[in-house]
Amino acid sequence: MPSTELESARFTSIDWATESGGWRSVRLRTAGLVAALLVVAALFTYDYVVAPRELFEFLDWDVTRIDWLFLVSTVLFVRYAVVPLAANRDRAASYAAEFARRPAGVLSLGYILAFGVLGVVGPEWFGLARVDFGTKLQPPVFATFDAADVWPYTCVGNSVGDVCHGTWQYPLGTTRVGEDMVKLIVYAIRIGLQLALSAAMIMVVVATAVGTAAGYFGGWVDDVLMRYVDVQQTIPAVVVYIVLATMYLGQGLFALALIFGLLDWGGIARLVRSEAMQRRTDGFVRAARSAGASDFHVVRKHVIPNSTATIVTALTRQIPLLILAQVALAYLKLNNVAYRSLGEVLLRGLSGNPVPWHQKWWIAGFITLFLVLTVVSFNVFGDVVRDVLDPQSEVA
Amino acid sequence: MTDESEADAILSVRNLEKHYPVRSGLLRRVTGHVKAVDGVSFDVHEGETVGLVGESGCGKSTTATSLLRLEEPTGGEVYFEGEDITEYGSDDEQAFRRRAQMVFQDPNSAFDPRMTVGESVAEPLGIHGLRDGDRQRRIVEDLLERVGLSADDADQYPHEFSGGQKQRIALARALILNPDLLVADEPVSALDVSVQAEILSLLDDLQSELGLSMLLISHDLGVVRQVCDRVGVMYLGELVEMAPTEELFANPQHPYTEALLASIPDPDPRNRGDAVELTGDVPDPSDPPSGCSFHPRCPRVVPPADYDFPEDSFREVLDFRLSVENGDVDGDEFASPADVRDEFDLPPELPDGDADAVISAAIEDVLAGDTGAAADRLGDAFETVCEREAPELVETDAGHPAACHLHGAASEHAPPELSASDDD
Amino acid sequence: MTEPLLSVRDLHTQFDTDDGTVRAVDGVSFDVEAGETVCLVGESGSGKTVACESITKLVPQPPGKITGGEVVFDGEDLTGLSGKALREYRGGRIGHVFQNPQGALDPVYTVGDQLVEAIRLHRDVPKSRARERAVELLDRVGIGDVEERIDDYPHQFSGGMKQRVVVAMALACDPDLLIADEPTTALDVTIQAQVLRLLDELQDERGMAMLFVTHDLGVVAEIADRVVVMYAGKVMETGDVYQIFEDPSHPYTRALLECLPGRGRALETIGGSLPDPTDPPDGCRFHPRCPHAVPKCETGSQPDFEDVGGDHEVSCVLHGDEHRLPDAMLEVADDD
């Protein structure tokens, strides 16, 4: 039997009076987070106080409100998603292996990584789509366009009579003002990423705080918070956006991210709450409490980490909805972005000017395809993430 | 319980109470209380293992969590080495947490699936301020080896271990702060018998090596008998009997203990079917019976002194009375008085003529459809002390305390605590 | 000798998992005579539950698969039957009681409705007649005040009462065989005693056979006529209940009896752990943990059954002709 050779009667004894946690144990990643946030805050102060009207010249970048929000969100994303994965290689590797076993997971992950990369650097790489009537209504590569009713019309590729053939110069075709569809979609990805990350970070922070507080503490805290969520969920974020954006905030991406982020987290909070309620009775939470852990320790070390699968899955449901909402609002001319939103392009693509929409099908078609791919990828990604991250499946 | 025993007790629980409010209605008003633990007192001495047994819902686990203040008790005192821990402030409480640890039932949910075993075992060290990774690691490895695992296991995740191994790890985590008191809540009931045996031996070894005091909560009397020095039996939030283990098994003084012991299936096929069968279920703790909470199920319920019942035959009479009072008896279902007696296992005639006359009259009432009159008649005649008064935990002839009216002299009349010592 | 009611022969059931194929039941044979109680005993992972679920193919397929052997019930091989024919047996001539009464009752129907449904699945009777039968059954299993309680929902019953309802459902069509899978494990001891007594009485009354799965040797001693001891998918020993308890002949059976707590002596432990289910050891499945193992135990397949007297069979090389276990080793530690 293993337990018979106990040499000394007591275990390693520790003089608790001399053990104090204190500041020295603040971890590097916490310090990094604080530093990064301070840098953003300093830049913000500089931009708004010292040089409100100027660009960051070295970047040729006029930082707008949505950019600031995006920056802060990126910092948080790096700290709470990228750093933990990078720090825990084994775990990251085992997640990767789990992903690799699921073809749908690999495809959706690939799409989302591409989405992320293009969102950050795409518009700078590809440039913005320019209006050029000389290249209007070019068909996509391998497709044709009968330009009989359009005048004047220039075909960039080969034309046979009135029929224009597409070229690799504009693989997805152009709009009726000659904008390259590829560049439009790349820019749409930028918009989507800014909106998704910003709104998602607001939602995650609020939903996690509210959900864990309600689920973990229960009682009147739960009652108050959940009744508030009930009330909030009866008010559609879209309506609030239309009212506030038209009256105060301006119909930009910032208003959209802020309002949806602050109003659309109710569902996630509910999921987190039920997760937290389960955790509260789990053995490891009870063990930690019996070892003297504070509520803060338990929530931070056990409740929130074990809710990640739920939170990430819920977010992957929410993000495509946000992107769709933005396109829809832009279609209704209720949302303007710095350059051009797919909503506007779609609106013009569906109009009968100068030819009916089905003759320039690629405009509406590729936009729809892009939106469908995005929605499906996020949903599939969410499902796979739930399977991969789910702590319950690891227990089994 | 004398002062002397309190003095060398590492843990003294006095009149511990944990009542949960029952709220109902729109405004969540408190409409009642579930008395999960209702006035429990006992001591745990240094190096001793005390068991608490009882069926589910008897409050044994709540006793454990409230005496550690994992749930705030609603009444009573808990003395740890003479200091009342219910008065502790947060610093004192933190020190107390290091000295009293708990092990839980289900090893499968005992570990955070996102932490390695090493991280989980070391967690209490971090909570109490030892955050030096290397020192943590050394302590964890030492401990894992002592509970029969290898030091390398610290890097594995909990799902890679079997139930028994997880329970070993849970023990390591509970012992890492070097506690003086270990509270183990059903530590082996989720495990197979062969694994149970290993964990129980390990507990035993660790306890004698470390001089731990232990409070073991279990529904399994076999487990309790294996490891405990003394055992307390709980029923519906109250301690009904407390005795040294072998004494309790050899000479139980409370009818509930007797029934519980008799219900353990005996692993000897030649000893079949001699169980004292308890009728009915454990009552609803939010609405416990009056008097002794065991009286609706007790096979040895005390008959009223005015009548003469042969041994243990009052149970059927009381069952009949309770059925009539609850309106469960429908006169139309029976053809004759004999049918009624048959249904309730009443003898054709009770030896005591007066008692039989009451029964017969009541049966006539029932057959006539007047259950109300029958209920009054039976209630007047056959009221037992067990439903009137809650028995106190008193010293019995066997030398250990039990809370039962059978252990007071003229139990029906005299308050039991006055007559406890002069019982023949 | 007459044909047994149920005869399981060389049953193989396996599960395909991510980690490989688990042969949960790997060549198991046993008989249940009409009117008798047979206990399948073993620890978790021994395959006892899978074995009894394989009888009426209740094993979820996939991932489970019955790959060999036959299950002859009253002359008919159930392994070859179609789903429809099997459903006639399930709940009809073969009743099931499961471990967790919570899961066996649908919370959205009253217990009366569920019983009526169970009866009408197999008996072409009008609802009113089925309800009368439901009342009778509930009354028989000891639900007091049936007329009122029959329209209650499962959550209004306590655990023990729910298990009584489940027993009533299993009895709805007067089965010849009742398969009870750990029916009392989730219950408190006093309630367990009630349910065991009820099962015992019902069996006597109806002359039905019972296949009882449990890990609790105390329960086995209480109700079994014959005992089948399983370990890691194989049968180690079969015999009548007295032979098993008084003359256990397989080292595993002996070890199991030795590690029962609370018999007033130091616990013996088996040591080691169950073999990896996807890669069980060669030879006797128990040899890595067996205190008496000899080199012969480590090779080949599970030893053939040796009859050690009176239908008491053991799968252990020490009982073969070559290795007679010394008497001292065979001797059971003094029982109390």
Side-chain angles (χ1 to χ4, degrees):
Chain A
M1 282 317 301
S3 53
T4 47
E5 293 162 30
L6 301 180
E7 288 131 22
S8 61
R10 291 305 258 186
F11 295 136
T12 321
S13 65
I14 298 150
D15 181 5
W16 291 107
T18 63
E19 296 292 341
S20 61
W23 284 101
R24 67 199 161 90
S25 58
V26 170
R27 291 191 302 175
L28 193 61
R29 53 181 78 171
T30 312
L33 173 69
V34 171
L37 288 177
L38 284 176
V39 169
V40 174
L43 288 176
F44 179 82
T45 319
Y46 173 81
D47 189 44
Y48 268 68
V49 177
V50 182
R53 303 240 167 257
E54 287 172 30
L55 312 178
F56 278 116
E57 302 233 344
F58 51 98
L59 282 177
D60 189 19
W61 179 23
D62 183 18
V63 192
T64 59
R65 293 181 299 182
I66 183 67
D67 293 321
W68 289 116
L69 190 56
F70 182 65
L71 267 180
V72 173
S73 304
T74 310
V75 169
L76 290 175
F77 177 76
V78 168
R79 164 63 186 84
Y80 288 104
V82 179
V83 170
L85 280 177
N88 198 338
R89 300 270 168 72
D90 291 349
R91 184 156 282 254
S94 82
Y95 288 159
E98 283 292 308
F99 253 102
R101 289 188 7 195
R102 297 169 170 82
V106 175
L107 284 178
S108 63
L109 180 65
Y111 183 89
I112 286 167
L113 285 179
F115 191 95
V117 172
L118 285 178
V120 175
V121 297
E124 281 70 33
W125 268 359
F126 288 84
L128 298 177
R130 301 274 171 223
V131 174
D132 178 359
F133 285 94
T135 59
K136 71 179 178 183
L137 289 176
Q138 297 303 314
V141 64
F142 302 132
T144 57
F145 175 63
D146 185 350
D149 304 334
V150 186
W151 191 87
Y153 182 76
T154 328
C155 182
V156 177
N158 301 322
S159 60
V160 180
D162 282 336
V163 176
C164 178
H165 287 259
T167 61
W168 278 108
Q169 195 181 343
Y170 300 107
L172 301 183
T174 60
T175 63
R176 72 162 199 224
V177 293
E179 296 156 317
D180 185 352
M181 285 296 292
V182 172
K183 291 177 181 170
L184 285 175
I185 287 178
V186 167
Y187 189 72
I189 292 176
R190 153 75 56 87
I191 294 170
L193 182 74
Q194 283 195 333
L195 176 67
L197 201 63
S198 310
M201 278 302 148
I202 298 177
M203 283 188 212
V204 168
V205 171
V206 182
T208 309
V210 171
T212 41
Y216 183 77
F217 295 105
W220 65 267
V221 178
D222 187 23
D223 284 348
V224 168
L225 290 175
M226 284 300 116
R227 288 307 77 74
Y228 170 70
V229 169
D230 286 342
V231 172
Q232 184 193 283
Q233 285 193 312
T234 60
I235 306 167
V238 172
V239 176
V240 178
Y241 166 77
I242 292 172
V243 173
L244 287 185
T246 23
M247 295 173 70
Y248 306 106
L249 292 168
Q251 295 174 339
L253 216 45
F254 176 74
L256 192 66
L258 191 69
I259 291 171
F260 275 73
L262 286 176
L263 290 180
D264 228 13
W265 46 265
I268 306 179
R270 267 179 211 290
L271 293 172
V272 174
R273 168 178 173 266
S274 61
E275 198 75 35
M277 286 172 83
Q278 280 174 24
R279 292 294 89 76
R280 189 168 58 159
T281 54
D282 269 351
F284 53 87
V285 167
R286 300 207 294 160
R289 294 223 305 124
S290 85
S294 61
D295 288 328
F296 179 69
H297 174 97
V298 170
V299 167
R300 198 170 65 107
K301 291 279 185 182
H302 296 297
V303 177
I304 293 178
N306 279 288
S307 304
T308 37
T310 306
I311 296 172
V312 173
T313 312
L315 270 187
T316 58
R317 297 276 179 281
Q318 213 72 24
I319 285 175
L321 291 181
L322 276 171
I323 294 174
L324 287 182
Q326 194 275 329
V327 172
L329 285 167
Y331 183 90
L332 297 172
K333 304 198 172 180
L334 287 168
N335 186 260
N336 307 310
V337 295
Y339 178 61
R340 211 180 276 327
S341 164
L342 285 187
E344 298 166 62
V345 182
L346 187 65
L347 180 64
R348 284 186 225 141
L350 286 174
S351 76
N353 177 19
V355 290
W357 71 269
H358 53 85
Q359 285 185 31
K360 45 181 177 169
W361 54 267
W362 58 88
I363 300 174
F366 285 123
I367 291 174
T368 314
L369 185 68
F370 162 72
L371 291 176
V372 167
L373 271 180
T374 306
V375 172
V376 169
S377 296
F378 272 100
N379 283 345
V380 169
F381 180 74
D383 285 341
V384 175
V385 161
R386 192 188 52 211
D387 291 349
V388 170
L389 292 187
D390 187 6
Q392 259 57 50
S393 70
E394 287 175 42
V395 172
Chain B
M1 263 154 265
T2 61
D3 289 338
E4 178 191 349
S5 76
E6 232 170 275
D8 64 11
I10 183 165
L11 179 79
S12 293
V13 178
R14 289 292 171 271
N15 293 316
L16 187 71
E17 273 180 16
K18 176 71 188 174
H19 294 184
Y20 294 99
V22 178
R23 292 170 194 275
S24 54
L26 198 61
L27 295 174
R28 303 269 213 121
R29 282 188 203 287
V30 179
T31 53
H33 282 95
V34 174
K35 298 178 176 175
V37 180
D38 198 19
V40 165
S41 303
F42 61 90
D43 292 326
V44 179
H45 299 274
E46 206 160 315
E48 185 188 37
T49 305
V50 173
L52 281 184
V53 287
E55 296 177 274
S56 45
C58 73
K60 53 192 192 300
S61 294
T62 313
T63 305
T65 47
S66 17
L67 72 83
L68 289 178
R69 279 183 76 191
L70 294 177
E71 288 181 276
E72 212 53 47
T74 48
E77 298 95 49
V78 178
Y79 298 95
F80 185 73
E81 295 193 331
E83 290 182 52
D84 187 352
I85 66 153
T86 55
E87 308 276 306
Y88 272 169
S90 67
D91 282 355
D92 288 337
E93 185 180 332
Q94 208 61 0
F96 169 67
R97 293 260 169 264
R98 290 199 283 273
R99 304 194 49 200
Q101 284 291 312
M102 187 152 180
V103 178
F104 298 91
Q105 170 172 4
D106 182 7
N108 293 319
S109 83
F111 297 97
D112 191 331
R114 303 192 171 278
M115 289 185 168
T116 63
V117 159
E119 287 165 353
S120 279
V121 173
E123 192 185 4
L125 293 176
I127 291 170
H128 290 278
L130 196 161
R131 299 208 173 86
D132 176 346
D134 292 337
R135 276 185 74 194
Q136 281 194 357
R137 177 81 189 190
R138 274 204 310 280
I139 300 172
V140 167
E141 287 182 351
D142 174 44
L143 211 45
L144 284 178
E145 285 176 357
R146 279 164 185 256
V147 297
L149 296 163
S150 79
D152 299 339
D153 289 336
D155 296 324
Q156 312 289 306
Y157 283 90
H159 66 97
E160 296 168 64
F161 294 90
S162 70
Q165 287 170 321
K166 278 186 214 165
Q167 205 58 305
R168 287 173 189 270
I169 300 166
L171 266 175
R173 177 174 58 190
L175 295 175
I176 198 161
L177 294 175
N178 228 333
D180 300 303
L181 173 70
L182 184 67
V183 177
D185 186 2
E186 304 270 13
V188 297
S189 59
L191 307 173
D192 272 318
V193 271
S194 66
V195 185
Q196 281 191 1
E198 286 171 18
I199 298 296
L200 291 177
S201 311
L202 176 65
L203 266 180
D204 222 31
D205 291 347
L206 288 172
Q207 192 197 7
S208 46
E209 298 287 341
L210 306 175
L212 270 177
S213 310
M214 203 154 79
L215 179 65
L216 183 107
I217 316 287
S218 181
H219 70 281
D220 186 334
L221 284 152
V223 167
V224 164
R225 187 177 191 181
Q226 193 67 43
V227 292
C228 294
D229 302 313
R230 283 191 305 133
V231 182
V233 180
M234 285 188 72
Y235 187 76
L236 225 58
E238 289 167 355
L239 202 57
V240 296
E241 184 166 2
M242 182 105 200
T245 309
E246 281 317 308
E247 203 176 304
L248 185 94
F249 278 78
N251 194 9
Q253 293 298 304
H254 196 284
Y256 177 64
T257 314
E258 247 173 73
L260 206 56
L261 290 177
S263 308
I264 317 174
D266 185 352
D268 179 355
R270 307 239 178 234
N271 266 349
R272 276 190 191 178
D274 54 354
V276 179
E277 194 177 326
L278 278 188
T279 48
D281 274 323
V282 179
D284 179 358
S286 65
D287 181 23
S290 62
C292 170
S293 48
F294 187 54
H295 86 261
R297 300 174 79 193
C298 181
R300 297 177 59 191
V301 63
V302 179
D306 313 347
Y307 302 98
D308 189 20
F309 287 96
E311 175 136 8
D312 296 352
S313 72
F314 181 60
R315 181 72 252 170
E316 283 76 37
V317 176
L318 189 62
D319 280 345
F320 176 55
R321 194 195 110 195
L322 295 175
S323 301
V324 170
E325 282 175 355
N326 290 338
D328 295 347
V329 185
D330 183 1
D332 300 342
E333 286 175 17
F334 302 102
S336 68
D339 279 359
V340 182
R341 285 182 188 256
D342 222 33
E343 171 75 20
F344 290 94
D345 289 330
L346 295 166
E349 196 180 338
L350 287 168
D352 185 318
D354 293 342
D356 198 64
V358 178
I359 295 276
S360 298
I363 291 176
E364 289 304 324
D365 285 340
V366 167
L367 290 175
D370 192 356
T371 20
D376 291 344
R377 195 185 293 278
L378 291 166
D380 287 345
F382 301 132
E383 195 195 33
T384 156
V385 63
C386 297
E387 63 187 307
R388 247 187 354 252
E389 290 166 24
E392 301 279 326
L393 197 64
V394 294
E395 213 54 42
T396 63
D397 297 342
H400 66 257
C404 178
H405 288 303
L406 289 171
H407 299 287
S411 47
E412 305 88 306
H413 304 299
E417 61 269 25
L418 293 178
S419 55
S421 51
D422 52 41
D423 191 350
D424 56 355
Chain C
M1 226 174 93
T2 53
E3 280 286 293
L5 177 69
L6 173 76
S7 175
V8 175
R9 284 287 157 268
D10 199 26
L11 184 68
H12 287 78
T13 304
Q14 64 183 40
F15 290 87
D16 291 321
T17 68
D18 291 346
D19 301 324
T21 302
V22 174
R23 296 183 209 286
V25 175
D26 198 11
V28 163
S29 305
F30 58 88
D31 293 337
V32 181
E33 308 278 346
E36 125 182 288
T37 303
V38 173
C39 275
L40 274 183
V41 195
E43 297 177 272
S44 46
S46 63
K48 55 189 193 304
T49 294
V50 177
C52 80
E53 286 181 351
S54 302
I55 291 170
T56 53
K57 291 198 195 164
L58 285 176
V59 180
Q61 312 189 35
K65 199 157 103 193
I66 298 173
T67 51
E70 54 184 26
V71 176
V72 180
F73 180 77
D74 203 14
E76 185 161 20
D77 185 0
L78 301 185
T79 52
L81 290 187
S82 67
K84 186 167 181 297
L86 263 176
R87 282 201 296 276
E88 290 293 312
Y89 278 98
R90 287 182 204 150
R93 297 193 61 195
I94 302 180
H96 276 274
V97 177
F98 298 98
Q99 170 171 357
N100 187 353
Q102 246 83 333
L105 295 172
D106 188 330
V108 303
Y109 296 104
T110 65
V111 298
D113 286 346
Q114 297 186 51
L115 260 168
V116 167
E117 192 202 340
I119 295 166
R120 278 161 52 91
L121 264 179
H122 293 277
R123 298 273 192 280
D124 187 17
V125 292
K127 264 200 171 145
S128 57
R129 176 73 197 90
R131 194 177 156 95
E132 282 168 34
R133 170 117 178 102
V135 171
E136 266 171 51
L137 283 165
L138 287 176
D139 192 47
R140 179 59 201 93
V141 296
I143 305 284
D145 202 10
V146 178
E147 289 290 349
E148 298 239 327
R149 303 226 61 186
I150 190 167
D151 293 319
D152 283 353
Y153 288 88
H155 72 264
Q156 291 164 292
F157 288 82
S158 67
M161 284 295 156
K162 269 186 223 154
Q163 196 60 298
R164 286 168 189 266
V165 173
V166 173
V167 168
M169 284 177 72
L171 295 177
C173 296
D174 280 320
D176 298 315
L177 174 67
L178 183 69
I179 299 180
D181 186 0
E182 306 256 13
T184 59
T185 306
L187 307 176
D188 278 316
V189 274
T190 60
I191 310 295
Q192 163 170 292
Q194 292 172 6
V195 172
L196 286 180
R197 171 156 312 179
L198 173 71
L199 285 172
D200 202 40
E201 287 169 5
L202 289 169
Q203 192 187 12
D204 281 354
E205 252 170 54
R206 292 160 193 252
M208 81 189 161
M210 192 149 71
L211 180 61
F212 197 102
V213 177
T214 182
H215 68 278
D216 187 337
L217 286 162
V219 172
V220 175
E222 205 65 37
I223 59 157
D225 297 318
R226 282 197 310 116
V227 182
V228 177
V229 181
M230 286 186 69
Y231 180 79
K234 294 273 192 195
V235 174
M236 296 287 127
E237 180 169 4
T238 62
D240 77 32
V241 66
Y242 301 108
Q243 289 163 341
I244 295 292
F245 279 86
E246 289 163 11
D247 183 22
S249 301
H250 196 286
Y252 176 64
T253 316
R254 281 210 293 279
L256 265 188
L257 285 167
E258 286 304 304
C259 63
L260 284 182
R263 301 204 296 167
R265 53 178 136 91
L267 284 180
E268 296 290 325
T269 56
I270 299 184
S273 52
L274 274 176
D276 177 358
T278 59
D279 182 24
D282 281 343
C284 175
R285 294 271 157 101
F286 187 59
H287 86 257
R289 303 171 76 185
C290 183
H292 306 302
V294 295
K296 188 165 183 246
C297 299
E298 292 163 24
T299 54
S301 52
Q302 187 70 29
D304 290 334
F305 280 99
E306 294 290 335
D307 198 325
V308 294
D311 258 357
H312 183 186
E313 295 191 317
V314 187
S315 163
C316 177
V317 296
L318 300 179
H319 290 276
D321 293 330
E322 295 168 51
H323 299 272
R324 277 282 164 212
L325 198 63
D327 282 351
M329 280 173 131
L330 273 171
E331 205 166 90
V332 190
D334 325 324
D335 226 10
D336 38 3

